[in-house]
Structure formats: structure tokens, C-alpha cells
Amino acid sequence: PERSSYCNYPGYQPTMFASSAVNLAQLAAFLSLLTQCRSQYVPGKINGEVVTLDSKSFPEAIKDPSNPLWLLKFYAPWCGHCKKLAPVLDKTALQLKGQMAIGKIDCTVDKGLCNQYKVRGYPTLKYSIDGEIDDYPLGRDQASIVKFANKMSAPPLQSVASYEEAMEYAKTKTEDGVIFLGYDPANKPDEAPSGFYQVFSKVARRKQASGNFLWLEPSDPESIKTPAIVKRIEPDVKVRFLENVESLTVEALAEWFTEQSLPLVNMLGANNFQKISKMGRPLAIAVADTEDTEQVKALKEHMLNYITSSENEKYYYGIMDGKKFIRFLEQFNVEEQHIPQFLVLDGPTKTFWQNETYSNLFEFVKAIDDGEIQSEMASRTSRKGILGKFEHYFLSYFPYSLVVLVLTVFGFVWMLVPAYEEDPYAQSALEEMMEEMEGTDKPEEKEGDETKKEK
């Protein structure tokens, strides 16, 4: 009989098959069946284990009022990173029973579902809140997942009595310092919520994973003369306003929050690089030794001065650990001995601008705009060995380097071999970041391997 016929049988009880467990093989098969049945989605059930979802059960599961919050793992059975994550999710599912459900979707079976949510590597983690799907923003360890669940289980909207209280909240109760403060004089305590309050609270619920939302309820409403408004507040940064908000839809306000949710200067790493690199602007990166706190502080202040002096929204800005991610950064001509330095990277096109001789972001960006620093493409080949480094410096200092080459080529030509060394870690920018920083396997690579084996 099919497994589903056992799992869905109304009178299914383990004792029904106990008598058939006459040997170890039958017992093992029975226990395996029991485990699989327990992991199937059942509407209304509060789960303490990872639940298997498919194209049929997925739409119902994410809208199940008994499980409004889901962590979703899109995976492939052959994926090594997925296998490593599995026991972490098993333990976490039991710990978070009743707080957050955890589901898994096999992308080798439900390809259409995985394509619908633009899964490009395995595992991909997303979350669902009240049926709305978004990218999971934190780490894959148990502590990070529990932290995420706790944040999502808290009220999405907090009330404050003053702007000063909101600023203190930003400084002391958030990780990135960014909050959104809403206010509407038409929203009165003893009356039905105003239209804008309802829109703001719905967006706060939807965007709770990546934002901090406050609502201003002044003790003396008559002292505030402003109309309905939203303020984006970040310590040491000029406040940004969104006015004429009364007619905004949930979708329009959510889009604005998404655009404004990042700190002006981000600490780039495994949890946010992919997301930020796909948000529509190139990344201006300060490559730093993050163990040197004074260096990081100075770079952040320098970048903030640049951003605030010009109101420059051409780039997103961040600081990256040049030692931890040096294998990734080597593809953009970054060498560890030349840290700190600046780098501009357009993730989707794998285009970058780099020159370690610039220590000032104002001058670096101007040199890019003036064409003094030319764009390059991320290379799959690492610039190691004598010739790799020679090529980099030759192109960086052309045409002066050509004069030096002509004068010395006959004496040193044999020192320039071998040309390139293949580096097993040197991949394209986004592939390297996904595997080195995020730990994902590429579906097209595995499928290609399997095709070769079949042939």
C-alpha cells in the first residue's frame, strides 16, 4: 500500500502493525514509515518536527491560522549543505513547537514551487508570515533561528510617547539602529483605528523580520501639529520623512520600507550580502580588518561623511571583513596586504571597480566617474603566481607599465611563467559568496553531473 494510505487512514495506530515486526528489517521499515507519517502536514496540527511540504500542501500550510509563522527550507536530497542543516532544524523545530513551524520542500520533486519562489541554490531559507513569503535574514545556526522566531513572535508595533524615546529605542534596542516611526493625529485612543494606522500596522507585521516599527502616541496630542507622517530614524544620520501617507496602500508603504530599511553603512557578511547585492544598486565596499575596531570605526565615519555630504543614493554602502572573505575578494584584485581599501561591486553583472592606491572614498568614486578607474569583470581564475600579479599591476598603471615592460622583458620573461594557477576556491563573485559565506549548492551543477553520469 502507498505510504499516504497509512498516514491518512482515520484509525491509524502504531499497534496495528506491531505484530508484523517479526524481524529487524520489518521493524526498521515500520519505524521509517512512522517517522515519515509524523512529518506530513496535517491542517491545524502544532508541529514539533520538520514538516514535509509539497505543491499541494504548501498553499494551505502557510495560511494555516494554527501555524501563522513558518521557516521554509528549499532543498535537494543530494545537497551536502542541506544534510548539514537538517539536524539543526530537527532540534530547533522541537524547541520552537507552538511558536514557529518549520517546513521543507524537495526541489527535485516540486520544481515548479521552487521556481515560483526563485530558488537558485540549496538550501534556500525563506519564511512565511500570514501567507506572505520573504527571504529569511539571519544565520543558519540554532541560536539565530530561535532569535528570529522570538522577534517574529513579539508585537510588530511598539508605542512611544515622544521622538526622544524613539531615538533612545534606536540606539539601545536595535542591532542596526534603524527604526520607522509612524504618526497620525486622526488615530485617537478611544476611537476606531485610522486608515493609515491600519496600513502601517499591517506593513509592520509583514516586514517585522527586517525592520523595527514604532507608533507615536504623545501624552499631549495637541502639542504635535504635524499631519500623518513616517520618519526613518538612524542615530547620527539625518532623519528621512515620508509625507502625504493617508492614501498609501500596504504595497506602496512596504516598498518604501524595503528601500529604506538598510543602515547607511552595513556590516556585510553571509546573512545580508546576497540580499543587498540584489536590491538594485551597486555596493560601495570598504574592505577592512574587522579585528581592528579603530579602523572599522574610522572607515564607517568616513563613509557616513561621504553619504551625508552628497545625499548619494547611487550605491549601497558596507564594510566587509577582508581577512575572513579574502578568497571571495581575490576575484576583484583585492589582496590581504593592501587592506583597507575601497571596492565598488555590481553583483548581478559581476562588474567591479578597484584600485588599492585610493584611501579616500570621495576621490575613489570621483576617479570611477571620471573614467580613471575602469570597470572589470570578476574572473573565475585566481590571480596567483608571478604573472597573475604582474597582469594586475600592468593594467592598473598602464601606459607607464608598458615602458617598464619593454625595457625589462628580455631579462625577465622566463620569470613570468606559469601564467595562471587554477584556484579551487576561485569562483564567480556570487557563486563564491553563496558557497563561502552562505553555504549553498548550485542546482545546475549537480544536474549537469548527473547528466554526465547517465551518459
Side-chain angles (χ1 to χ4, degrees), residues 225-400:
K225 304 302 181 182
T226 182
I229 195 171
V230 177
K231 292 184 178 182
R232 178 199 181 275
I233 300 174
E234 182 179 358
D236 304 318
V237 173
K238 183 179 178 181
V239 175
R240 297 179 181 179
F241 299 88
L242 182 62
E243 300 177 303
N244 302 318
V245 298
E246 293 91 343
S247 60
L248 282 179
T249 63
V250 170
E251 289 70 24
L253 187 58
E255 182 178 354
W256 187 81
F257 281 151
T258 299
E259 293 174 352
Q260 300 293 331
S261 62
L262 294 177
L264 290 194
V265 179
N266 301 270
M267 292 303 299
L268 299 172
N271 299 331
N272 61 4
F273 176 85
Q274 289 291 327
K275 178 181 178 180
I276 298 174
S277 68
K278 297 175 182 177
M279 289 181 66
R281 302 181 197 169
L283 269 168
I285 303 170
V287 182
D289 176 3
T290 56
E291 295 180 359
D292 186 340
T293 56
E294 290 301 317
Q295 181 184 110
V296 172
K297 180 180 179 181
L299 284 169
K300 183 175 181 179
E301 290 178 353
H302 178 65
M303 298 184 86
L304 283 174
N305 287 337
Y306 172 77
I307 299 167
T308 56
S309 66
S310 59
E311 294 293 330
N312 194 324
E313 296 188 356
K314 181 178 181 180
Y315 304 115
Y316 288 118
Y317 301 85
I319 298 173
M320 181 178 288
D321 189 333
K323 291 185 175 181
K324 182 177 181 180
F325 301 118
I326 190 59
R327 287 175 176 170
F328 166 70
L329 292 165
E330 282 177 348
Q331 300 181 59
F332 314 114
N333 303 338
V334 175
E335 296 179 348
E336 190 170 342
Q337 63 268 31
H338 293 144
I339 294 172
Q341 64 171 280
F342 293 106
L343 166 73
V344 168
L345 171 63
D346 183 39
T349 65
K350 303 168 189 175
T351 305
F352 70 95
W353 293 259
Q354 181 274 343
N355 189 311
E356 68 273 10
T357 63
Y358 289 85
S359 60
N360 183 293
L361 184 59
F362 291 83
E363 297 174 358
F364 181 72
V365 173
K366 186 176 186 303
I368 293 175
D369 293 340
D370 293 344
E372 296 176 13
I373 300 177
Q374 295 293 316
S375 64
E376 300 182 59
M377 295 294 294
S379 173
R380 288 180 176 269
T381 309
S382 178
R383 294 183 183 275
K384 292 188 174 181
I386 296 174
L387 187 55
K389 294 181 179 179
F390 169 80
E391 179 191 8
H392 168 49
Y393 289 112
F394 180 82
L395 294 175
S396 298
Y397 296 101
F398 187 85
Y400 307 106

